[in-house]
Amino acid sequence: MPTYLYTKYFEEQVLKKRPYLKKEWCVEVVENPIKSEPQEHNRYRFWGRIPELDNRILRVVTLDDKDHT
């Protein structure tokens, strides 16, 4: 199982704006996306459904190594 790392932006900005997010949900989306695609600036986007959030779709953006959220 890969170890995921989190960017300073994710730790200090994203989690501050969305304190309900759980890192385990981000990992689940990256490992089992319903859709993924490359993004500009060496990033990847993943989408996944989160049952704990009433099946809402969570979008996770990683660096192109797909290990940094």
Side-chain angles (χ1 to χ4, degrees):
M1 178 177 200
T3 299
Y4 292 95
L5 303 172
Y6 299 90
T7 61
K8 184 175 179 181
Y9 174 78
F10 180 80
E11 296 279 4
E12 295 179 2
Q13 301 295 318
V14 174
L15 290 179
K16 185 175 180 181
K17 292 179 189 174
R18 297 172 180 85
Y20 57 87
L21 283 180
K22 296 181 179 178
K23 291 179 179 178
E24 65 201 48
W25 295 342
C26 297
V27 171
E28 178 65 24
V29 168
V30 170
E31 292 182 350
N32 302 293
I34 56 176
K35 180 181 178 183
S36 66
E37 65 184 29
Q39 179 180 313
E40 296 176 350
H41 309 293
N42 300 322
R43 303 282 195 268
Y44 253 83
R45 288 183 282 209
F46 301 83
W47 290 266
R49 197 170 302 279
I50 306 299
E52 293 89 341
L53 292 176
D54 296 325
N55 285 321
R56 292 176 61 191
I57 301 295
L58 176 65
R59 184 188 69 197
V60 177
V61 177
T62 71
L63 299 180
D64 62 351
D65 63 10
K66 301 177 187 172
D67 291 336
H68 285 80
T69 300

